[in-house]
């Protein structure tokens, strides 16, 4: 935790206390109805909230036992410590008692000996708290007591009443709890007594003579000691110190500053210890001469009590008192130690007289090396923790800074309800339900304070929404029927202007609008009501500095414009987006590329993002919906958007979270939390380079999610939790609100406290370790740096970048990257920096045909090649791959994690293998082989998981012309013993197009299934042989299965002719009987025996849940033109693809159906938009995983393949294709593959749209004219076969325009951000 703001201390004499308990320094103070316990300037130990609404009046710590007592006007609470031995010190309630005097309440508390507690109000009562709080002494007083304090040995009590000039000194006559008695005497003072202090030893076990210091309204400190032990008085006056005479005024300025004096006592034990620390610090720093320190050492030798006097102007006078209580008092027993200047305290000017006072507590911690510590309690609601070396504090020579502020404890009296940040995150407004607010500014690292309170605001009218202007210098509050402007430049904000308004419906939000010009003085704020009426106000603030003498400095607030936005039906809420990235810039254009300003959401889960521009000349505000997103989430309870197009939505149960990209309307993340964890807050932030961060707030914790790179190859998450912040141990109050500072610190408001969490994230945290990111040498990282590691651009040799290059067909670049890495690794040692580009240039990826390196490669093959170094590798050979992988196994690459480095070695090996087969393998086969090998590696890491390659790899192999080589390589991978589970892993029977080869391979599977066990069970291969229509082979296998008890009956059955109805019926009866016994595969065999392919396929698809087996059986049994196969594809496969959003499966199915035009169209459009299905698509159908950038590679490859694919491409509107390209460029960017995004938008070629849009029956349109390069070979496969699925297709988008102009390349680059 960077800092804690524990709440506003009460303006009470006993609001703050401190004690040393068993080696730990504790500080406790009361704030509202909360007890705050701290162990250091930024160490909050515990906060205890009391159920009653009454504020607490006093708190005190028992140094001997660690007990804490606190009280309100009606109740007294006593807490005892526990968990000290376990290293988790906390307090629990031991007793709660009614206040003895309800009329006056409890005014003061003090601990005595043996767990005795003195309670002062209209009487003095002594309680024994060891048991049940029995009263062992009680004395009624003539007036309520203001101060009642035990001496350190509990033998004396000093008490004084309200506005009393007498101190009543109570002397204890007996310590027995059965008969406790006190007598008393008076210590007279000329004026009202304002404070008392008992001398206390450094350790509570030590003994000292009792000495009392009293401070009086006559500005004198009086020292009382037992100079005559046999006298009637227990204490006698020993000395006086005149505070006014100690600090003489030097000029006549403010009378109050001249006369006001403050004092505190430094006990001799603390003074001696602080002097020792100063000596040690000087010795450690090597100081030779330090006259101030030498003087302090001489003073400390006599162990004096030190009286320190200060004024408001920073003057300080320190007096030493030695031999206190000695009868023969010498004139040297009271002496001046130092008189110094520049002891600066933080006094406020605009506070009332009751709060314009200050108290001091000081100590020197025994067990640590910390210097002298001074706690200053300003009664205006602040406690400041100062530290100082004693020689610096008492050094008479001029110094600029003597006290170093370590923390400022302040905050609210009531519970924080809302926290609002400025656009830059440099200022905050925290607000309570009582319409009281505090304005905070972000502190710098030099001050050591994360937040600095700059102003307070108290409003009589209910505050509905708030907005900060000019970094918190001004505040605008929206009320139900009015809006007000506040000046917060002073410590107490003042209302400047108030404007009423009338609106249709209830105002929902307060949205800051971009200024129309950089030099404009006016700011514009808008609210949108429940009836979708937008009301805009114009606010003119005073200028930062007056430029002209005639310039009008008065602020202005007036209604500027109102308009009806429409779309008000079913509206649930409207709220401003969280500012993220760069600040809102003015723009003269109103388009969908402008930053979002607000989002609205409906009860049916429709999200809309809004932007607006202000036109001061026509006094209008123009609004635009930049995106519409149908989430399918009914009655969302909460939503939040960022200005960089990220929207988080919480479902109606408040336990489900989804994160959407409004640019592409894609789902990026989905999480379901336990019912006990209800989501109540969402806060967006971003890194300086606009990477998103989301804080998800629960009642007692905040989970921080960071954006990650898209990972289509491993279907990895696009967001991941990187940190969890829990407050349950610190406070029993649930979180009210949270927000982000611009610096990356998270501010959480709970109860009356603010917690500021550091932006540094520990890399040893389990969440970070699970992410496997390259942070080899970092113990902690800034949250911004961590997110850059998770979502920044990838080095060229990253396995994901290499894999995407292979998918994009950039095999030459992949080879050059690997060769460049090989060269760099030859001289690389751990700890060196490695060039992320490995000597390549960005132009090598998008200027392939103009690349000078290609000319250089041609030159090396010329007659001058003899002069080229033969050691320079030209391709990735198996020898090069082995050498490089050997280096990678020994050395750590700084840009890669261990798992990424492992995947890199696998890709290098795959590239070398593919290069060996390069002459006989096309690009699609290369793509399949690479990811099949990666699948095998992943399977080796998790052998228990039943996984298969994705439909993406199946489609690449399906469109490959090297399938015979792939079949051979896959078979070799399984050592020639391929079973069905291996075939399913490889997807072989989905991508093989040669039916003859398909059946031959299926027979291999049948033989291997039969021989997979020592028993050689015919049942294992029955389905496969019957699908091949080879019943006779199966009969022969059963003949050899003498061990099987089903042999005779099965042999007898199989000998029959199943073309006859009788035996078909017998086979069907056996099939249904086997279904009842859950022997599904064997049941499917008997369905095939009966000639019932449809039921056999249904059993495979539904009971066995093996879609590949169902398709393979249908293809082998009846061919690719099988009606059963067509029905399976239309009724099962395509609806499933629409439900899951699987475009790869859909394009494969359409191609199998002969609908190649649809196979192309489905690559661009979501599947559910093209197919009518009774099932509503699930959320995953809208996931970013359904929009793989490799789809654009396949689209470009297929659209020019046949006339049917050209027909399908012609039905795609140019706008849809343009958006498809831009979306895939963004996907590449989110993957960290920026160079591939640049290549895509720079080199994409749109199809030419023919001018005629109608078709003449005699002269059909020639699709080949759409191609820009006529050299392409296009297969004529028209007309396409008709099928029932054609009638289920939806038209895609708008019809193509009459004439299409290809988008300019610059527009592509601009929209992507280049």
């Amino acid at each position: 935790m960077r800092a804690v703001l524990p709440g506003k201390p009460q303006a009470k004499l006993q609001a703050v206390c401190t004690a040393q308990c068993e080696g730990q320094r504790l500080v406790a103070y009361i704030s509202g109805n909360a007890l705050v316990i701290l162990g250091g300037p930024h160490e909050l130990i515990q906060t205890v909230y009391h159920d009653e609404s009454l504020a607490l009046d006093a708190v005190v710590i028992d140094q001997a036992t660690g007990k804490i007592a606190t009280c309100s006007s009606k109740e007294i609470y006593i807490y005892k410590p526990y968990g000290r031995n376990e290293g988790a010190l906390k307090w629990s309630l031991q007793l709660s008692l009614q206040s003895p005097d309800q009329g006056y309440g409890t005014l003061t508390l003090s601990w005595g000996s043996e767990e005795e507690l003195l309670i002062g109000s209209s009487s003095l009562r002594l309680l024994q708290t060891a048991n049940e709080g029995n009263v062992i002494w009680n004395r009624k007083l003539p007036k309520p007591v203001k101060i009642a304090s035990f001496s350190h040995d509990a033998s004396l009590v000093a008490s004084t009443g309200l506005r009393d000039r007498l101190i009543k000194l109570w002397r204890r006559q007996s310590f027995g709890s059965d008969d406790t008695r006190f007598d008393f005497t008076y210590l007279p003072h000329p004026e009202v007594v304002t404070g008392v202090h008992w001398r206390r030893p450094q350790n509570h076990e030590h003994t000292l003579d009792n000495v009392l210091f009293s401070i009086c309204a006559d500005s004198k400190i009086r020292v009382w000691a037992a100079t005559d032990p046999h006298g009637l008085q227990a204490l006698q006056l020993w000395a006086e110190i005149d505070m006014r005479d100690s600090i003489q005024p030097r000029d006549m300025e403010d009378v109050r500053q001249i006369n006001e004096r403050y004092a505190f006592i430094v006990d001799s034990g603390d003074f001696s210890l602080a002097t020792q620390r100063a000596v040690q610090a000087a010795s450690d720093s090597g100081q030779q001469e330090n006259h101030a320190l030498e003087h302090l050492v001489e003073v400390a030798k006599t162990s004096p009590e030190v009286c320190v006097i200060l004024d408001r102007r920073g003057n300080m006078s320190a007096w030493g008192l030695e031999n206190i209580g000695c009868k023969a008092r010498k004139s040297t027993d009271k002496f001046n130690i130092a008189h110094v200047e520049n002891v600066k305290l933080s006094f406020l000017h605009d506070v009332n007289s009751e709060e314009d006072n200050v108290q001091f507590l000081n100590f020197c911690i025994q067990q640590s090396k910390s210097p002298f510590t001074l706690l200053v309690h300003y009664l205006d609601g602040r406690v400041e923790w100062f530290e100082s070396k004693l020689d610096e504090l008492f050094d008479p020579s001029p110094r600029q800074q003597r006290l170093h502020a370590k923390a400022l404890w302040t905050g609210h009296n009531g519970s924080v309800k809302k926290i609002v940040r400025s656009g830059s995150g440099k200022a905050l407004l925290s607000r309570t339900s009582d319409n009281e607010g505090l304005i905070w500014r972000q502190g710098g690292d030099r001050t050591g304070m994360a937040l600095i309170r700059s102003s307070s605001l108290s409003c009589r009218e209910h505050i509905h929404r708030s907005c900060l202007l000019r970094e918190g210098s001004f505040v605008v509050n929206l009320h139900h029927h009015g809006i007000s402007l506040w000046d917060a430049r002073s410590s107490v904000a003042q209302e400047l202007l108030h404007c009423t308004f009338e609106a249709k419906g209830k105002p929902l939000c307060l949205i800051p609008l971009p200024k129309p010009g950089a030099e404009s003085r006016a700011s514009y704020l808008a609210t949108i009501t429940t009836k979708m009426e937008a009301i805009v106000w114009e606010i003119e603030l005073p200028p930062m500095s007056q430029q002209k003498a005639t310039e009008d400095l008065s602020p202005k607030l007036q209604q500027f414009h109102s308009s009806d936005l429409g779309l008000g039906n079913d509206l649930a809420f409207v709220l401003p987006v969280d500012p993220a990235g760069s600040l809102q810039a003015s723009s003269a254009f109103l388009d969908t590329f402008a930053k979002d300003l607000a989002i609205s959401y409906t009860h049916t889960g429709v999200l809309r993002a809004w932007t607006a521009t202000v036109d001061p000349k026509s006094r209008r505000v123009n609004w635009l919906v930049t995106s519409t997103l149908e989430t399918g989430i009914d009655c969302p309870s909460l939503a939040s958007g960022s200005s960089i197009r990220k929207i988080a939505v919480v479902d109606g149960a408040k336990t489900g979270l989804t994160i959407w990209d409004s640019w592409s309307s894609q789902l990026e993340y989905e999480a379901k939390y336990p019912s006990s964890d209800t989501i109540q807050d969402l806060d967006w932030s971003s890194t300086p380079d606009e990477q998103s961060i989301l804080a998800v707030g629960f009642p007692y914790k905040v989970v921080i999610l960071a954006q990650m790179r898209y990972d289509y190859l491993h279907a990895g998450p696009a967001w991941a939790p990187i940190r969890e912040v829990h407050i349950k141990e610190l406070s029993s109050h649930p979180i009210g609100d949270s927000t982000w500072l611009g610096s990356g610190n998270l501010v959480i408001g709970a109860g009356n406290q603010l917690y500021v969490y550091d932006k540094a994230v520990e890399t040893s945290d389990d969440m970070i370790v699970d992410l496997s990111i390259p942070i080899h040498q970092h113990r902690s990282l800034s949250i911004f740096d961590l997110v850059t590691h998770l979502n920044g651009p990838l080095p060229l040799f990253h396995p994901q970048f290499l894999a995407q290059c292979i998918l994009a067909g950039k095999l030459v670049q992949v080879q050059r990257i690997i060769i460049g890495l090989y060269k760099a690794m030859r001289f690389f040692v751990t700890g060196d920096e490695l060039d992320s580009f490995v000597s390549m240039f960005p132009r090598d990826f998008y200027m392939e045909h103009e690349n000078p390196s290609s000319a250089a490669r041609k030159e090396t093959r010329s007659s001058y090649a003899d002069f080229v170094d033969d050691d320079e590798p030209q391709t990735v050979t198996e020898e090069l791959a082995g050498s490089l992988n050997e280096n990678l196994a020994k050395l750590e690459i700084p840009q890669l994690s261990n798992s990424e480095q492992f995947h890199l070695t696998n890709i290098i090996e795959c590239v070398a293998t593919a290069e060996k087969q390069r002459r006989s393998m096309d690009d699609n086969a290369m793509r399949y082989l690479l990811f099949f090998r990666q699948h095998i590696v992943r399977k080796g890491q998790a052998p228990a998981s039943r996984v298969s390659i994705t439909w993406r790899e199946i489609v690449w192999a399906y469109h490959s012309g090297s399938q015979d080589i792939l079949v051979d390589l896959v078979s070799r991978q399984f050592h020639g013993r391929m079973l069905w589970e291996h075939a399913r892993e490889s997807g072989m029977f989905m991508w093989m197009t040669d039916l003859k080869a398909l059946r031959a391979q299926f027979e291999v599977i049948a033989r291997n299934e039969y021989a997979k066990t020592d028993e050689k069970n015919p049942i294992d291969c029955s389905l496969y042989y019957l699908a091949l229509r080879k019943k006779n082979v199966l009969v022969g296998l059963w003949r050899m299965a003498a061990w099987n008890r089903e042999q005779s009956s099965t042999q007898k059955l199989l000998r029959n002719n199943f073309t006859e109805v009788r035996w078909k019926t017998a086979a069907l009866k056996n099939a249904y009987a086997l279904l009842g016994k859950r022997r599904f595969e064997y049941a499917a065999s008997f369905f095939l025996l009966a000639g019932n392919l449809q039921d056999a396929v249904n059993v495979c698809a539904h009971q066995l849940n093996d879609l590949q087996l169902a398709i393979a059986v249908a293809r082998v049994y009846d061919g690719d033109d099988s009606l059963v196969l067509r029905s399976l594809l239309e009724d099962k496969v395509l609806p499933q693809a629409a439900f899951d959003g699987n475009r790869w499966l859909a394009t494969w199915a359409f191609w199998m159906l002969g609908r190649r035009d649809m196979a192309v169209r489905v690559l661009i459009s979501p599947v559910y938009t093209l197919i009518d299905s009774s099932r509503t698509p699930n959320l995953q159908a809208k996931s970013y995983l359904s929009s793989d950038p490799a789809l654009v590679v396949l689209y470009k490859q297929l659209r020019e393949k046949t006339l049917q694919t050209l027909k399908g491409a012609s039905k795609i509107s140019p706008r849809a294709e343009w958006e498809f390209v831009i979306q895939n460029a963004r996907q590449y960017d989110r993957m960290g593959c920026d160079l591939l995004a640049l290549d895509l938008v720079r080199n994409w070629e749109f199809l030419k749209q023919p001018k005629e849009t109608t078709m003449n029956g005699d002269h059909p349109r020639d699709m080949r004219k759409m191609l820009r390069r006529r050299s392409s070979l296009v297969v004529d496969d028209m007309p396409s076969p008709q099928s029932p699925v054609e009638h289920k297709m939806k038209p895609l988008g708008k019809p193509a325009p009459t004439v299409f102009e290809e988008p300019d390349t610059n527009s592509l680059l601009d929209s992507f951000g280049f």
Side-chain angles (χ1 to χ4, degrees), residues 792-794 801 1225 1228-1229 1231-1239 1312 1314:
L794 293 170
F801 187 85
Y1228 274 131
D1229 182 50
M1231 296 171 72
C1233 305
D1234 304 65
L1235 293 176
L1236 296 181
L1238 183 57
D1239 169 64
F1312 185 56
F1314 291 104

Side-chain angles (χ1 to χ4, degrees), residues 649-955:
V649 184
V650 180
D651 63 10
K654 296 185 179 182
T655 56
L657 171 69
T658 53
I659 300 176
W660 302 78
D661 181 2
S662 61
W663 271 114
S664 56
S665 300
Q666 288 180 346
L667 174 68
E668 292 191 338
Y669 181 76
E670 182 182 10
K672 193 73 176 177
Y673 296 98
S675 57
S676 57
D677 287 342
T678 56
I679 303 172
Q680 59 185 28
D681 189 28
L682 299 168
D683 294 290
W684 287 99
S685 181
S686 73
T687 65
D689 56 346
E690 298 195 352
Q691 314 279 1
S692 296
I693 306 170
L694 176 65
V696 184
F698 299 88
Y700 291 99
K701 70 177 181 180
V702 175
V703 177
I704 299 175
L705 300 172
Q707 199 172 357
M708 296 183 69
R709 298 183 192 93
Y710 283 169
D711 183 1
Y712 292 94
L713 305 182
H714 304 101
W719 292 78
I722 59 171
R723 191 176 185 182
E724 274 194 13
V725 175
H726 295 265
I727 69 157
K728 191 76 173 179
E729 296 180 354
L730 304 176
S731 172
S732 59
H733 202 289
I735 295 173
D737 198 11
S738 60
T739 193
W740 291 94
L741 289 175
S743 59
N745 299 104
L746 178 67
V747 181
I748 298 176
N752 55 358
Q753 299 178 335
L754 295 178
Y755 309 108
V756 185
Y757 285 87
D758 195 58
K759 62 182 178 182
V761 180
E762 296 295 327
T763 57
S764 59
D765 189 278
D766 290 341
M767 287 185 173
I768 307 301
V769 172
D770 292 343
L771 296 177
S772 299
I773 55 178
I775 45 177
H776 306 290
Q777 69 276 19
H778 300 287
R779 292 186 177 179
S780 66
L781 279 175
S782 161
I783 193 170
F784 293 161
D785 295 334
L786 177 61
V787 174
T788 300
H789 277 293
L790 293 171
N791 196 38
L794 293 170
L796 298 191
F797 47 80
H798 193 282
Q800 173 154 294
F801 187 85
L802 291 175
Q804 290 300 324
C805 283
I806 293 171
L807 288 175
K810 298 190 175 297
L811 304 179
V812 174
Q813 286 85 346
V814 170
Q815 297 235 6
R816 290 185 59 197
I817 292 169
I818 294 175
I819 292 170
L821 181 62
Y822 167 74
K823 293 177 182 178
M825 292 295 291
R826 285 187 297 184
F827 309 104
F828 179 81
V829 295
T830 301
D832 288 354
E833 290 191 6
L834 191 61
D835 179 18
S836 295
F837 280 82
V838 286
S839 302
M840 291 188 69
F841 299 97
R843 65 173 179 269
D844 294 335
F845 290 86
Y846 62 83
M847 297 179 66
E848 187 174 345
H849 303 294
E850 308 158 36
N851 194 346
S853 60
S854 61
R857 288 196 296 274
K858 291 178 182 177
E859 187 178 336
T860 60
R861 300 189 185 98
S862 69
S863 58
Y864 296 99
D866 296 336
F867 297 98
V868 179
D869 186 0
D870 292 335
D871 293 336
E872 290 294 324
Q874 299 299 315
T875 59
V876 179
T877 62
E878 290 184 342
E879 292 77 14
L880 183 147
S883 175
L884 177 54
N885 285 347
E886 187 179 343
N887 281 333
L888 289 173
K890 295 184 295 185
L891 301 170
E892 282 187 348
I893 296 181
Q895 293 98 322
L896 300 180
S897 66
N898 294 333
S899 60
E900 290 167 348
Q901 205 159 320
F902 176 77
H903 287 306
L904 175 60
T905 60
N906 181 45
I907 286 184
I908 293 170
E909 185 180 341
C910 292
V911 171
T913 304
E915 179 61 27
K916 188 177 180 180
Q917 305 282 344
R918 192 77 192 102
R919 293 182 179 276
S920 54
M921 187 184 295
D922 60 13
D923 288 351
N924 283 343
M926 170 85 169
R927 293 176 176 115
Y928 173 84
L929 179 62
L930 172 69
F931 298 112
F932 176 67
R933 289 290 302 273
Q934 284 198 343
H935 159 73
I936 295 299
V937 172
R938 288 201 305 273
K939 181 187 173 187
Q941 293 173 337
S945 60
R946 178 186 169 183
V947 292
S948 59
I949 61 172
T950 67
W951 283 95
R952 176 183 56 234
E953 284 72 58
I954 291 173
V955 170

Side-chain angles (χ1 to χ4, degrees), residues 256-308:
R256 180 162 191 178
Q257 286 194 356
I258 294 173
N259 295 328
E260 204 74 42
R261 298 288 186 273
Y262 308 98
F264 62 91
I265 309 299
V266 182
D267 292 319
S268 57
D270 288 327
F271 182 77
S272 299
L273 185 57
T275 305
Q276 293 175 22
R277 296 277 166 78
V279 172
Q280 183 65 40
S283 175
D284 293 343
S285 62
Q287 289 185 14
Q288 299 298 324
E289 291 188 3
N290 189 333
H291 299 296
L293 183 58
E294 293 171 1
H295 173 59
L296 282 182
V297 171
E298 291 298 320
V299 171
K301 288 179 180 178
T302 60
S303 299
E305 315 298 322
V306 179
C307 177
V308 180

